[in-house]
Amino acid sequence: MRRGVAIVTALVLFGEAVGIVLINAVLATITENQNMSLAGMDPEAMTTGTWVMGGVSGLLLALCGVIALLAGVRDRSPGRLGRIVLIGCAVVHGVLGAVTVGLIGWSAFAFMMAVLALLVLTLLAYGPEAPADGDRAGEEPAPAAV
């Protein structure tokens, strides 16, 4: 079951990466076409910033998807750095879920919480490995020296 959860998580993250890039592309195009400015900021800087934010967000989500996909295909826990990246992605989804409930609505909140649940399930399913049979499993602890 854990392979399936990791692969579904990866597919959802890949889809979310494409969606974020597309949303930012639309926002950048609208900003450029309407020559919009915020508090006197250069409109070209706003357009460039929107493109960069979309690209970076998409790349980070794709990286998280690759980590989850590798965990599912290999059926092994991601390394320390991979777990840190997935934990960071889960935290971001939790915070953005709290923000989206007020700005966008409950459906966006439900989506963000579903992605958060998939990330947490993936992290828990591939938690720390149990010690092998020969690695002090079942041994009594040494008595304390007085």
Side-chain angles (χ1 to χ4, degrees):
M1 178 175 150
R2 67 186 193 169
R3 285 183 122 173
V5 170
I7 291 172
V8 168
T9 301
L11 293 175
V12 169
L13 287 172
F14 290 143
E16 192 176 2
V18 170
I20 287 293
V21 171
L22 290 176
I23 286 172
N24 278 285
V26 169
L27 289 174
T29 304
I30 290 172
T31 304
E32 185 176 6
N33 289 342
Q34 293 188 355
N35 203 19
M36 297 171 83
S37 177
L38 181 67
M41 185 182 286
D42 181 30
E44 186 65 30
M46 291 184 63
T47 302
T48 304
T50 305
W51 278 111
V52 169
M53 183 65 178
V56 169
S57 298
L59 285 174
L60 290 174
L61 285 168
L63 172 68
C64 294
V66 166
I67 292 170
L69 184 65
L70 288 175
V73 169
R74 294 178 180 169
D75 200 23
R76 286 191 345 207
S77 177
R80 179 177 289 175
L81 183 62
R83 290 185 64 79
I84 290 171
V85 169
L86 289 178
I87 290 169
C89 188
V91 169
V92 168
H93 276 83
V95 171
L96 288 179
V99 171
T100 58
V101 84
L103 294 175
I104 299 172
W106 288 102
S107 59
F109 173 76
F111 174 76
M112 295 301 282
M113 293 302 106
V115 176
L116 173 65
L118 285 171
L119 285 164
V120 170
L121 279 172
T122 300
L123 286 166
L124 289 177
Y126 289 103
E129 300 293 328
D133 291 335
D135 294 341
R136 308 189 89 181
E139 288 183 19
E140 293 294 321
V146 180

